[in-house]
Structures are given as structure tokens and as C-alpha cells.
Amino acid sequence: MLCWGNASYGQLGLGGLDEEIVLEPKSCDFFTGKRLCDVGCGRRHTAFLLGDGTVYTCGCNDLGQLGHDKARKKPGNLMGHVWEPGAVQLNPSVPFCPSEQVVALDAQNIVAVSCGEAHTLALNDKGGQVFSWGQNKFGQLGLGVDGPVVLSPHLIQSLLGIPFAQVAAGGAHSFALSLSGAVFGWGSNKFGQLGLNDTNENKNEKAQSETLGGVFTFGAGGYGQLGHNSTNHEINPRKVFELMGSVVTQIACGRQHTLAFIPSSGKIDSFGLGGNGQLGTRSTCNRISPAPVKGPWAALSDFSSKDQDFAEQRYCVKRIYTGGDQSFAHYQFLQDSVVPDDFRILDPRRHICTLTFELIQKWLSHAQGRLPHEISDEIDLIFSSACCLNGSFLDGSHPDHYNTSRKYPGVDVNLARLLLHRLSQSPQVSQLVAASLEKNLIPRLTISPPDIEALRLYLTLPECPLFTDPNTYITIAIPFAKATICLKEPPLKVLCNWWSRLEPPVFLRRVELYKDVVVYLLRMQKVGVAPTEQRVFTCFLQTSLKMLEILHSVNEKASQIIQYDKFYIHELDYLIDIRNDYIMWIQQQMYSVPLDGPVTMCKYPFVFDAQAKTTLLQTDAVIQMQIAVDQAQRQNFSSMFLPVVESVNPCLILIVRRENIVGDTMEVLRKSKNVDYKKPLKVIFVEEEAVDAGGVRKEFFLLIMRELLDPKYGMFRYYEESRLIWFSNKTFEDIDLFHLIGAICGLAIYNLTIVELHFPVALYKKLLKRTPTLEDLKELMPDVARSLQLLLDYPEDDVEQSFCLNFTVTEENFGATEVFELVPNGTDIAVNNSNRLDFVNAYVDYIFNKSVAPLFNAFYAGFHKVCGGKVLELFQPNELQAMVVGNTIYDWEELEKHTEYKGEYWAEHPTIKIFWEVFHSLPLEKKKQFLLFLTGSDRIPILGMKSLALVIQPTGGGENYLPVAHTCFNLLDLPKYSSREILSEKLLQAIDHNQGFNLV
């Protein structure tokens, strides 16, 4: 070790030296036979890190910078004395203590040290934990505490969780470099030395600065220590152009001087204050631009020299250090073929522990016998440390890896999955991992991590197979979810942003995990939970559901990473009483309920599948009807003028004529009270004897919707390209008709009958008070929407000249062309690069909202007159659409599987076997015609094929008769045909000539 500069406080660690200033490099014998790993240089003190992870300090200790509490000595005569590590202090002239090991760090394996003017930093291997001690006047210790001095090493709690690779202390400020290249600075900023584009005096909290490339300096420059050939201060990082042309691999900064190592020449350049010889130029002059340190340095070209004498006289610099007014150079002789350190490359010896293929393989190689303590300690170290896990699985292939941001976490989740799954090959290793997660890591997760890098484990850790083991749900998966949902808003927002960019299979695994946890807990509840454990159980269930709620919110904002039905928990149908759950949910909203009260699944409607929501809808209908009937009875009973309580009809009766179905229906509904809309619907066609067991009601909806949607009314505009309809903004029909259509849709839902209504999903969004978007316009008007998308995607700057648009829309109405302004004075506002998004939004708003507002409002009022209530909020727009018009998710095997048979028919009867052979061979359109023939609609109810409950029974008359459909009951009369050909012919005749409702 070579050293030079100020030695008056013993900070050079030299023994037997008479000078207070060393002008050129001298050898320090203390390190003979020792492996030196790092040196930190303060203004009056120095810290040495040895290969065994121990730290020694020497020099002045007036502010506790040596890291121990030795008594201060009174100033005395020290002329001619300097102090080496471990030496006895004699006649001190300033307050300082004998140099010795920092015993407070004895339990730590330190991998890096750095010293400021009067403070010291140390970095350990346990996930990159940073310790600090010494002067704290400017917050340079980062401990978040007041007080000018801290005498012994303290862990910087606010940095926990960030994997650090390097620490650096300036005069009264500090820096830490993460594995991803993020630089954190804190402390004094009087001269802008934190590089944050300001000179605010102190920064007591960590502030992240930008990632840099090349040699940059900033801060105080009064002695030329910035190397810019000037004495100006710099508040922003500025590149040292005087070093351009040379590849610099090491930089070291003193109090007011700087060293730079250039491996090609093997030389050290220095600049700044030189009054104490710290520049090593054999002079005490200052330098405002780089000048060489005098010494027998070996260049790269000298490495091939075979001259033994020459090799023994040349020093190969391993590493440079400087601080205060002193400088050090760790060297070896040319003959040792040393390779200089390169600060641009992470030194693996100073790397924190992370999970790697090699480490896992080492653990698994011992899996057959008892694990050695060394391996047990390694497992516990990594899985107890947020830093270690946050430093693992880094994605170096991604271009943004060295700029980890709110959009990109810098980790490879698939790599994490691969490595963590390898651990499961050994039960012993898995048990140790589980113990570390349960006892150490998860309980210590903080609600406010110091930086986004500390959030990475929230992405990677759930890939561990332990999370999906039901035996660890209570100890790992649920506590981890608790830590996640308790994060403060800013870190949770970042995490949600990362989640939104996960691949669908990865995101789905998170969802499936906590769905499984919920099912596990509900099964426990069904078996029975002890009263004493009920509160804990409730907390567990609520935590898991809230985790799913956050994931669902992310999925919605990201326009569905996965389909919304992936959140459905189909087991709810038999795990909970959905009706009671809904009633309890309503009661909780009406009355104040404690936070730890019973969990209602209705609070998390995204987990309900179509069957569960249908049950809720039926429950809501019954509740609303019962409430209304009870109110009517109480009102009648309270009236003293009526001798008898007026009876309340339990059904809404519609008596209509086929030839005037719209007028008759409107007349009945106009006279009906709001309560009547909630009642079960019974339809009677005048002069017809059909008993409405469902089939008459089906035909009623079919006929009235056909009539209302007939083009003769002009109430709706048909779009040929999409085969969909939307409200016509130019109609001469009574607005009450739109109210009627809304009510009919509501009645169809409440009576579980699907109707033909070819609206886009935008209608159901609006019914649920959601805003239609350009994506909805693509469904209704594909050509127009594509043009608008082209406008948004146009890459050039000449939108106004290329598209020639203004804020208007042109429409054809009854053969006439009309122009409507999208905004006030829209004709005079040209669409350009800056306002094109406003134009598109205004266009979409015009089509779906402004142009049809009165008509839709009437439709909305009629619909909500029937379907108003909390239950509607539980539906997705697509689900509400399926409730109204059914869906086209055909599963013909499911239809056959759930068909029942009467009489002599059974599944293996020859006629039945022929029937299904013929049916499955039909083209799709014919199968849909069969559904229309049998059920009155060619669409599938929201509950699927099984809910159709098709019944087939034999009938007499022989093969000359056609099959007959009893639409009321979804019942098919099927004669016993003797051959496939005859059955096929008769079935096609029946479904091709079906029209209207038939009573057989």
C-alpha cells in the first residue's frame, strides 16, 4: 500500500514517520501479509477493510468517526508523530484515539467502507445493509435522527430492502449505488454536491439522482477539484472533458482533490488542492486540471515485458483511494500480473448474496443428508433479507435494466419462477426457506419501502411454490398479502403499475393463488371455525379478498390483462349461501358495521360467476317485491276508511292482442305502479288458451321486440357493417316507446328470459354508468373507428394539412346531410397534432351520449324502473348483455349431457342415439334454428346450455309425423323414427317451418 498527503493525525497509518506532510507515495508496512479489500479516507481519519470482513480505523476521533467510544485525550505536543493501526497513542496534540478494529461491526461481514470529512459508512454482505457513524450535523448519516454525533455504527433503516453494491461518503454527504445503477444521495448540499440541480442546504432523506455514464463531477470546485480547468461550482453533474480520450476505470475524491486512474498508461491523474501534498506531484501547488501522480507506474504494454529487473521496479495499481487530504494506492509488482479494479464492473467479492443457479445447485447437492450449517446459514441469509431477494433475478437483457423505473422493475419473473421451483426439489431446503420467510422476511416488510427497487420481491417471491401450498397459506401467502395491501399509496401504485405489465400467464398465477386461498378459507368456515378464532379467520378472508380486489382493479385499468371471468370463484355456489350473503351485504350498507364484522362476498362482486349473479338478481327481485308488497299492505291496513285491506296481486299480468302488442303493453305498464314491475310476469294472449309456464312469456318478448325494432318506427339506426343498432337521433316516435323498451329489457332480466336486442356493449356500459370508449365505437362503426385510430396513430406533424378535419360530424338523416358541431364553434376549430385526442373523444361522446341523450335517458329510466338496485352494480357490461340477449357460447355436448328423457326414451335408446348423431352433424345455423324452434331463441341464457333443461319424450302417430316443440317447457315430442335419414328429413322440416308459439 502506497500513501501520501496529510499525516498529522495519524490518518495515513504510517509508523516511524517524522513528517506531517508526505509529498510523494510511501509504502505502509501495516498491510504486509494482510489482504486489503477497501480503504475509506476522511479528512482526519481512515478506515481499512481487510479480507476477513473486519474494519480498522485510525486518525482523529473528535466526532466519533472511528466507530468506538474511546475516551478523548486532551490536546498535547505531537510534533513528529503519526499513528499506525493498533499503535499506542503518545502525547496527542489533537483529540484522537488509538486506531483499532471497529468491534461493533464484528458480527457483520463488511464488503465496502467509505469515509467523509468526519463520518464513516460500511456496507455488509447481508443484502446490502448500510451502517453509518460519526458526525451527523448535516444529516450525512442518513439515520433520520437529530444530534451532531453518533459514536458507534448504526444501521440505516430507511435504506432497508434496496440491494446496494457500493457506498461513498463525501465531505458532509453520502451516496449509495444500487445493483441496478441507481444513485442515492443524502446530507449537505450547499454546493450542489448531491447533483440534484439545487443547493438546498441539507437533505436528511434519501434522494435518487439520475444514472450517469462517463466521468462526471459536481459540487464545490473552488480549488479545481472538479477538473474542469476552472474553480467554478457545479450543481449538476458535468462531464470532465479534460479526461476525454482516456478510459478512466477508477475515481477517488478527497476533501478538495480528486484522483483518476487510467489503466492503459497505468498512471494516476490528480487535480484540486495540493497544499498537503495530497496530489502526489512532489509539489504543494493546486491543479485545476488533471496532472500525473509521480511514481513508477506500469502501463498495460509493460505487462508483456520479460525484463525481471524492470518488472521489480514497476508498480501495477490495483486500486486508488483518497479522502480528506490523504491518498492511497493499493499496488502489486508487475511480475505478479495484477489486474486493476474496474469500477465500471461490479466486483463479485463485494457482491451481496443473491439467489443463483450455482448456489441452488450447491444446496441441492447436500439434500440427501443433513444440511451443513454453512448452507443453512446461506438459505436463512437470503430468504430473511429483502435486500438479497431484491438483488436477485435481475434482468440484464432489458434495455431499461440500469434505469429501473415506475414502469419497469428490472427483474426477470420467469427466471425467478425457474430458480424458486428448483428449490422445491429438496424438502429440507423448502422447510428452511419457509421458516425464514415466516419468521424473518415477511414480518419485517415495511409499509413504506425506501425506493422502487425495494418492491421487486413483491413480484418475484410469489413465484415460490411455497405460496401455492395450502399448508403455508396461513403462514406465508396471507401474511404476504397483508404486507402488500398495507403498502402506502405511492409504493402500491408502483407495484400495481408493474403488475399491469406482467405477461398474462404470470398475472393469472397471482389471481389463481388468492382465489385458491379464498376457497381454502371458505371450506374451513363450512367445516366450522371456533368462535375464539372467528376474528382471525375473518381477517384472513378479508385480506385475501382485498388482495384479489387490488389485482382486479389493475386488470380493469390495464384493459384486461386476463378475461374478467378468470376472477370468478365457481365454488361459491356450494361454499356460501349467496342469498343470505346478499341480505347481509344490504344490511351492512344500511347500518354501521364494525370493520372486523362478517365478510360479505357481495363486497367483492368480481368473484361471482354468472350463476351466482343470477341468484343475486333473483334474490334482489324477491326482496324488492316483498318490501313493496309489505309497504302496500301496511298502507292499506293503516287506512281507517277502508273496511277491508285491498288484496295485492302477486304477479304482473299482461293481457295483450297479437295485432296490437305494443299498444296493449304500453297501456298496462302505464297503469302499473312501480311495485308491479318487480313482480313475476304472466302473459295472456287474447283469445288463446295457452297457460304461461314460460313459453308464452318467451314468445311475448320475441314478438314485442321485433315490433319495436321494426324500421317503420325509425327509432334505431341499423349499421350494416356490424349488424348492430343504436338510437337514432332523428326519430318522430313518442319518447315513451324508448321508456317501454327499457322496461321490457328489465322485465326480461327479472323473468330470466332472453330477448333479441342487437345493441353494442356500449349500451350496457351506459346502463352501469360507465363511459363508452373508442373501442366501443370499433364494435358499432368499425370503419369510422379505424379512421379515428389512424388519426391518433399518425406519426407526422402535419395532421391539420393531411386530414383537413374540424370539430364537426356529418350524418345522413332521411336523405339529407347534416353537420353537427362537437364543441361550441367546432366548425372554426381545426384538428391538429395537439388536439386530435380531444377530437376523437368528442366524436365518441357525440355518438354514444350527446346525440341520443333524451332517448337513452328514457330507456335508462324504464330499465332501472325494473332493475334498479344494488345488485345491478355487481355485473360487468358483458354479463348484463348476456342477461338481456343471451350469448353465443354454444356447447352442444353440454346440451346433450343435460337433456332429460321421458317415457320409454333413455340416453341409449336407438331413436335418441340417431337423434344426437343427426343433430351434431348439422351446420351451426341449423343448430341455432333448432334452439329457436325449441326454446323461442337461438341464443344461450347466461347460465349456459345446462340451464335450457331440454326434455325429449316419445309420441305416437308413426314416422310420418314431424317433431313438435312445447316451447313453454323446452319439451320436444320426437316420434320413433326407424332410420337416420327419415329423422334428419323430418327434423329439418320442423325447424325450417317453425313460426310462432304452438300449443300442442
Side-chain angles (χ1 to χ4, degrees), residues 76-145:
N77 184 12
L78 185 68
M79 298 304 294
H81 292 278
V82 293
W83 305 98
E84 62 181 352
V88 178
Q89 181 180 2
L90 299 174
N91 302 321
S93 61
V94 290
F96 70 99
C97 292
S99 178
E100 60 181 54
Q101 182 182 352
V102 182
V103 294
L105 293 175
D106 195 39
Q108 308 295 330
N109 183 28
I110 301 300
V111 295
V113 292
S114 186
C115 298
E117 179 172 338
H119 74 288
T120 310
L121 303 178
L123 175 71
N124 76 357
D125 68 334
K126 296 180 180 179
Q129 295 174 330
V130 182
F131 296 82
S132 62
W133 63 93
Q135 188 182 40
N136 193 41
K137 181 179 179 181
F138 301 98
Q140 58 263 55
L141 298 187
L143 299 175
V145 296

Side-chain angles (χ1 to χ4, degrees), residues 158-163 178 180 184 208 385-394 404-413 416 441 444-463 480 483-499 502 510 547:
S158 58
L159 290 177
L160 287 177
I162 304 175
S178 78
S180 292
F184 295 80
Q208 184 175 347
S385 168
C387 299
C388 289
L389 290 172
N390 285 321
S392 301
F393 325 117
L394 299 188
T404 299
S405 67
R406 297 176 182 275
K407 293 184 178 180
Y408 182 70
V411 290
D412 185 339
V413 178
L441 179 75
R444 294 174 185 169
L445 292 176
T446 174
I447 63 173
S448 183
D451 184 66
I452 56 178
E453 288 193 56
L455 294 171
R456 287 175 175 152
L457 63 84
Y458 289 92
L459 284 188
T460 57
L461 200 53
E463 294 295 328
F480 185 81
T484 303
I485 65 177
C486 287
L487 285 170
K488 287 190 174 180
E489 184 179 353
L492 184 58
K493 187 176 181 181
V494 172
L495 181 58
C496 290
N497 207 16
W498 289 353
W499 274 337
L502 289 176
R510 304 292 183 277
M547 184 72 171

Side-chain angles (χ1 to χ4, degrees), residues 31-249:
F31 300 102
T32 303
K34 299 181 177 67
R35 186 167 70 88
L36 183 72
C37 288
D38 204 2
V39 178
C41 306
R43 182 176 184 183
R44 298 173 181 174
H45 77 292
T46 305
F48 301 98
L49 173 63
L50 302 187
D52 60 1
T54 58
V55 178
Y56 286 78
T57 55
C58 63
C60 181
N61 196 32
D62 60 337
L63 294 169
Q65 57 264 55
L66 298 188
H68 53 71
D69 56 357
K70 299 296 181 181
R72 298 181 182 179
K73 305 294 182 179
K74 292 182 180 180
N77 184 12
L78 185 68
M79 298 304 294
H81 292 278
V82 293
W83 305 98
E84 62 181 352
V88 178
Q89 181 180 2
L90 299 174
N91 302 321
S93 61
V94 290
F96 70 99
C97 292
S99 178
E100 60 181 54
Q101 182 182 352
V102 182
V103 294
L105 293 175
D106 195 39
Q108 308 295 330
N109 183 28
I110 301 300
V111 295
V113 292
S114 186
C115 298
E117 179 172 338
H119 74 288
T120 310
L121 303 178
L123 175 71
N124 76 357
D125 68 334
K126 296 180 180 179
Q129 295 174 330
V130 182
F131 296 82
S132 62
W133 63 93
Q135 188 182 40
N136 193 41
K137 181 179 179 181
F138 301 98
Q140 58 263 55
L141 298 187
L143 299 175
V145 296
D146 294 329
V149 173
V150 174
L151 298 177
S152 61
H154 280 61
L155 178 64
I156 303 181
Q157 296 283 347
S158 58
L159 290 177
L160 287 177
I162 304 175
F164 285 111
Q166 189 176 338
V167 290
H173 64 290
S174 305
F175 285 109
L177 175 69
S178 78
L179 286 178
S180 292
V183 180
F184 295 80
W186 61 97
S188 176
N189 195 41
K190 183 177 181 180
F191 297 99
Q193 55 264 55
L194 295 184
L196 300 174
N197 196 27
D198 65 42
T199 55
N200 292 341
E201 184 63 27
N202 299 327
K203 298 284 184 181
N204 290 315
E205 297 182 1
K206 274 50 65 187
Q208 184 175 347
S209 60
E210 298 295 325
T211 304
L212 306 174
V215 179
F216 290 78
T217 58
F218 45 94
Y223 295 93
Q225 61 265 46
L226 300 184
H228 298 310
N229 202 27
S230 74
T231 56
N232 296 331
H233 303 323
E234 299 289 343
I235 64 171
N236 279 322
R238 177 182 170 188
K239 199 163 192 173
V240 182
F241 290 100
E242 287 74 7
L243 289 174
M244 288 188 65
S246 300
V247 177
V248 177
T249 59

